Structure formats: C-alpha cells, structure tokens
Amino acid sequence: MDKYDVIVIGAGNGGLISALKLAKRGKKTLILEKNALPGGDATSFVRDRFEFDVSFGEFNNYGNKDNQGKLYKVFEELGINNKLELINLKNAYHVYSANSLEDYTMPLGIENYINKLEEYVPESKKTVSTLFLLLEEVEKCMSYIFNNYDNLDFDYINNNYPNFMKVASSSVSKVFEALNIPSKAQDILGAYWMDLGSPLNHLSFVHYGMYLYSSLKYGIQIPKKRCHDLSLVLANELEKSGGNIRYYSLVTEIIENEDGFKIVLENNEEFNCSQVICDISPNMVYGKLFQGKLNTQALKLTNTRILGPKFLTIYVGLNASAEAIGLNDYSYIIYNSLNSTSEYENMSKITNTSCRAVVLNNAINYASPSGTCMITFMTTYFGDILNKTISNENYFKLKDELARKIIENFETTTGIIISPYIEEIEIATPITYASYTNHPNGSYGYKGTDLDNLLPRLINLNKENYIPNLYFCGCFSTLLHGFGATYLSGYMASLEALKEEVK
C-alpha cells in the first residue's frame, strides 16, 4: 500500500482547499470522495435544458485586489485568483414581510447601506453609524484572532480592541438594544439571521456582525461559470500541485495504528497515511468510521452540539425571461414576520413557507437558454419537524404540497406570478442532502448559538482535536456554515496539520 502524508475525506469546499494547501507544501495528499464530482454542495445538476446550482455559491469575504478580504488572500496564496471569474452582485438583499407587506431593498457598501436605512427609518443614521464603527473594530480583532488563535494575547486584545471585549459574549439583540437602534432598523439590519441559523436574541453579535460587515465592505461575489466550475478549478490545481482525487471512494473505516491511520473503502481497498482531514461530520467520524481509542470528550461534544438547519429546496426552470415575468432582483428573502424570534418559531413548523429565493439569471444572464430563467427557493426548517413529518408513504405528495405552498406564498408576498411559466421543477429534501453528503439527518452543520458560537470555537480550535493528527473542515467545523467559511475552514485545517508535523 502507498502511504500518504495526508488523506482528506470528502471533496467539498473545505476538503479541496485543505488538500490544495498541503499539496503546495509538498505533502503527498489524496482526497477520497464518495461521489462522482468534486464540490459537495458546490456543484450542479441538469434537468432537460436547465442546469441548476445545488446551493447559492456566494462569497461575502472575498473583495478584490484593492480591497482584499480574508478569502481573497487565501486564494491568492494558493494561486487560484487568476483562474477565477467572479461577478459582483448589485445589492445585499431584498427582504419582505408577508404579514405586514413591508419590503426593503438594501444595497452593498457600508455608506450606501447606512444611507438607505436612514431613508426607511428616519433618525436611525447616528446609531447605525456607531454600530458600523463597532463592527470595524470587531473585524480587526477577529482578523488578529484568526491569525493567532492558538497563541492569543488577551492583554493585547483588551488594550487594542476594548469595545470588542465588551460585546464578545453578547447576542445581536443585546448589542442593538444597547446602541438604541430603532426596532424597525433592527429588523432590517437582522435580515441575514436565517443564513446563520439562530434568531437574533441567541445569535452571536460577533458572528453576525462579521457576516454583515464583510458582505457590505467586500461585496458579494458569485462564480461567473457557476459553482461547479470553481470546484473544478480547485480540483485541477490540486492535481497540478501533485495531489490526487479518487472518486467513487466511500470511506467505511478510519483505523488508528502506530504509523498513523489506515483508511478502508467500501470495496475493501486500503490506504495508509500519517494525518487525516475530514470534510464530513464528527457524528459520522466518531459514531461510525473511527476504529481506535476515542476520547470521551469527542463523544460528549457531538452529543451536546445541536444539528443545524435542514432545507427544502425547489429548483424551478421558467419558460420566460426574468424581465418578462417581473423578477427584477437576484435575491429575495421572504419572511412571514421580520421579528426573528417569532420567525424562528415559525420555521420550526411544517407549515413554514418563509424562504430565500435566488434568480441566477439576474447575475448571469446566460445561466439558462434565451427566453428562459431559473429561480431557486430554499426554505429553512429548524429542529426535526421536516424529518418527523416525511415518511416513505407521503414523501412525494408532501414535498410537492410544501413546494406549492412556498411558491404561492412567494407570489402573494411579492406580487410576482411564476406558476404559469413553470417548465421544469425539482425538489430536494433533507433526505436528498443526507444521501449525497452523508450529513446527519440532512442537516447543514451545527447550530451556532448562545455561548457555542464562532468565537469560542475559533479560540478553542486546537483543543477540539481529540484524536491526534485527525482534523475537521467544512460546515461542521469551527467556522460554521457558509461558502466562504467552509473554504477558510479547509485552510485552517491544513495549518493545524502542518503545525502538528512541526511538533
């Protein structure tokens, strides 16, 4: 058997980046991927004349050469920026309340955003400007923490970022209230909460603030040639750098031995390696794959952490252009209420029709054939209500009924009628995602909430490496979920592997 320095399990965003970083450092690296393609959720599928992206492939911490976010710097280091073609989105979001029939379109750019919010909520500018000054300090401190998480100088943080220390353990709602931001402005500012999976009264201010601030400061970009093209760019660069990817390679065992690890595939093929990086959930690794002495803390952690949201995603191909139908925005956020607490409760029910809808053609006009367009609806469910309600007997009927109600709610709320133009429709459920990604119950990562959020996970990253030389990346790892976050998690996992080698 060949022995590898590092084997990466899973060719998702994090797995691809971690393998590429290690290969460029001269490590003999192999990715084992159970599917036929790289990318995980960053891929696409075809139905008749429409090619749908599985997920919304948006970066909010990238920027450009003159305004470099963390992800830009990582991609530059890995030599892939010059191989990417990205498109900048025009607006941050267009959020609707179905109950009150309010809607707000918010632009990108911090100054533009503050001024637009002042138009919607007069006399909000002073307090919101104070908020963004605070977020500027938060970003600087988080950059320091990201680069020094295993050797933090808390006196340095306290002296240089005193306001960060005041809000580090606070929720979004607590900070908004402390700054006396008007309630309506709070609702608009908090529109992204669904992306991070907790209502504002339980969502870390640092986490949400970084997400909002990065989006506005660096803009939001999507790959011009679609999500899957970026996955292929990373896979090709990995192979050029000496790394390898094996597809149709389902890992069934990770066996610890005196030389490191033996990885066993479904077909009983075996590989040896010194280190393992897992772009899959700790639930899967600790509960099914790992064969060896397991730290009880690892099991306690996976049992304690709450699984993240689950999605019902509706991919729709329309036989008319977006302009003809009246779909003028790229991104629509549809809530029943702009109050995140009541909306979170609503999203824990099977009757939930809130969603995020994306019209890719309004960013990439050639994303589908001329005279057509595509719209993707992603409805978020918290808890287990979707899994508990779906059964073998009602699976197809129920998901069709849920999709119909979600589309009807979108039409009623926005006034945009799409039903007569539907040519193609495909519906993915948590069962779909569980089958493709092996995520437990089809969930997306762990929930980041209260004191178990981005900041403490980042500070304690190396303390959660319970099995020496085995690391995690992807949506179940330290940086939680989101396109940019999963790429950065792979980079951090590779750094952990390199540090251990030095030791």
Side-chain angles (χ1 to χ4, degrees):
M1 287 184 292
D2 287 341
K3 181 172 181 180
Y4 291 86
D5 295 318
V6 184
I7 287 180
V8 178
I9 301 175
N13 292 353
L16 288 167
I17 288 290
S18 62
L20 178 56
K21 167 72 175 175
L22 291 165
K24 284 184 175 288
R25 288 289 294 267
K27 303 303 172 188
K28 187 175 181 181
T29 307
L30 172 68
I31 297 181
L32 297 173
E33 167 58 46
K34 81 181 188 76
N35 294 307
L37 300 168
D41 289 333
T43 187
S44 62
F45 65 93
V46 175
R47 291 294 181 270
D48 202 350
R49 57 178 179 159
F50 297 97
E51 180 180 353
F52 298 102
D53 285 346
V54 171
S55 57
F56 306 142
E58 301 163 0
F59 307 147
N60 69 342
N61 52 4
Y62 183 83
N64 54 50
K65 184 177 181 180
D66 299 320
N67 181 28
Q68 297 181 11
K70 182 64 179 179
L71 191 59
Y72 183 97
K73 295 173 183 177
V74 168
F75 280 9
E76 184 68 19
E77 178 186 331
L78 298 178
I80 58 176
N81 275 334
N82 61 351
K83 300 175 176 65
L84 300 180
E85 291 185 82
L86 300 177
I87 291 176
N88 291 292
L89 299 184
K90 296 178 181 178
N91 289 316
Y93 53 83
H94 189 168
V95 61
Y96 288 79
S97 167
N99 291 346
S100 62
L101 299 181
E102 302 168 77
D103 71 286
Y104 305 97
T105 300
M106 299 305 296
L108 293 166
I110 293 171
E111 186 175 351
N112 294 337
Y113 188 96
I114 293 172
N115 290 336
K116 176 57 72 172
L117 193 54
E118 173 70 13
E119 290 181 23
Y120 289 133
V121 188
E123 300 184 8
S124 64
K125 187 170 185 177
K126 182 178 179 179
T127 55
V128 173
S129 296
T130 301
L131 168 68
F132 279 97
L133 287 175
L134 174 58
L135 290 178
E136 182 179 6
E137 182 176 322
V138 168
E139 188 207 27
K140 290 177 180 177
C141 187
M142 285 299 289
S143 179
Y144 167 78
I145 291 172
F146 188 94
N147 293 324
N148 302 277
Y149 62 88
D150 58 347
N151 188 31
L152 291 176
D153 183 339
F154 287 98
D155 288 333
Y156 175 86
I157 293 175
N158 194 45
N159 291 331
N160 289 274
Y161 311 109
N163 292 312
F164 176 88
M165 297 299 289
K166 294 177 182 177
V167 301
S169 61
S170 298
S171 69
V172 179
S173 294
K174 185 176 180 179
V175 176
F176 282 1
E177 291 294 334
L179 293 174
N180 294 315
I181 296 174
S183 59
K184 182 56 62 181
Q186 291 187 36
D187 289 341
I188 299 170
L189 281 161
Y192 275 140
W193 74 267
M194 180 169 58
D195 289 358
L196 301 183
S198 286
L200 299 180
N201 61 334
H202 290 288
L203 182 58
S204 160
F205 173 75
V206 169
H207 191 188
Y208 188 80
M210 285 291 294
Y211 191 86
L212 176 62
Y213 188 82
S214 296
S215 298
L216 302 184
K217 180 179 179 179
Y218 301 112
I220 303 173
Q221 296 82 27
I222 62 172
K224 186 176 182 180
K225 295 181 181 178
R226 317 288 288 275
C227 296
H228 185 55
D229 180 70
L230 176 53
S231 299
L232 290 176
V233 167
L234 293 171
N236 291 336
E237 188 66 18
L238 169 63
E239 292 178 334
K240 288 179 183 177
S241 302
N244 291 291
I245 304 180
R246 283 276 305 267
Y247 299 106
Y248 295 114
S249 298
L250 177 63
V251 174
T252 56
E253 289 183 286
I254 302 171
I255 301 172
E256 192 174 28
N257 56 37
E258 59 184 18
D259 296 321
F261 302 92
K262 179 168 69 174
I263 309 299
V264 182
L265 302 186
E266 186 178 37
N267 63 2
N268 293 320
E269 196 172 355
E270 298 178 355
F271 302 88
N272 284 322
C273 62
S274 300
Q275 296 176 307
V276 177
I277 295 177
C278 299
D279 192 2
I280 54 178
S281 75
N283 301 63
M284 174 65 70
V285 173
Y286 298 149
K288 294 185 178 181
L289 302 184
F290 185 72
Q291 310 296 319
K293 187 177 180 180
L294 188 58
N295 188 314
T296 56
Q297 281 297 113
L299 292 176
K300 286 181 180 179
L301 188 68
T302 53
N303 289 332
T304 301
R305 283 192 168 146
I306 302 169
L307 292 175
K310 301 167 185 66
F311 303 115
L312 183 87
T313 309
I314 311 159
Y315 305 93
V316 182
L318 303 170
N319 61 13
S321 68
E323 182 180 11
I325 296 172
L327 291 165
N328 299 319
D329 291 302
Y330 166 84
S331 176
Y332 299 82
I333 301 175
I334 311 295
Y335 291 127
N336 284 302
S337 167
L338 297 184
N339 181 288
S340 67
T341 303
S342 62
E343 194 62 10
Y344 181 85
E345 294 176 2
N346 171 61
M347 291 182 183
S348 302
K349 301 174 182 177
I350 196 64
T351 52
N352 171 35
T353 54
S354 297
C355 71
R356 175 145 182 247
V358 164
V359 183
L360 189 59
N361 300 74
N362 285 333
I364 307 172
N365 58 12
Y366 50 83
S368 64
S370 178
T372 72
C373 68
M374 301 180 297
I375 182 169
T376 299
F377 301 89
M378 182 173 283
T379 293
T380 303
Y381 295 86
F382 297 106
D384 292 324
I385 187 62
L386 201 57
N387 295 59
K388 289 178 179 178
T389 308
I390 290 179
S391 65
N392 291 335
E393 292 74 25
N394 69 10
Y395 181 77
F396 294 102
K397 182 179 179 181
L398 179 61
K399 72 173 186 173
D400 289 348
E401 180 66 14
L402 293 174
R404 181 183 64 80
K405 290 180 178 179
I406 291 164
I407 292 172
E408 285 179 355
N409 185 57
F410 173 86
E411 293 178 324
T412 302
T413 304
T414 64
I416 304 168
I417 306 302
I418 70 166
S419 296
Y421 307 100
I422 294 177
E423 176 181 322
E424 195 70 41
I425 187 167
E426 186 68 45
I427 306 166
T429 70
I431 295 172
T432 315
Y433 293 112
S435 174
Y436 192 74
T437 63
N438 273 348
H439 291 175
N441 295 332
S443 58
Y444 187 64
Y446 292 125
K447 185 178 180 182
T449 186
D450 297 316
L451 296 179
D452 185 25
N453 59 63
L454 171 67
L455 182 57
R457 292 188 195 186
L458 180 57
I459 291 173
N460 293 298
L461 187 150
N462 52 9
K463 296 178 182 177
E464 293 188 8
N465 296 330
Y466 296 111
I467 301 171
N469 291 302
L470 188 149
Y471 313 98
F472 289 92
C473 63
C475 65
F476 284 88
S477 64
T478 302
L479 300 183
L480 301 167
H481 23 82
F483 239 63
T486 51
Y487 287 124
L488 292 177
S489 75
Y491 182 80
M492 294 186 75
S494 67
L495 294 181
E496 285 293 291
L498 291 168
K499 287 176 184 176
E500 188 63 31
E501 179 197 49
V502 170
K503 291 179 185 178

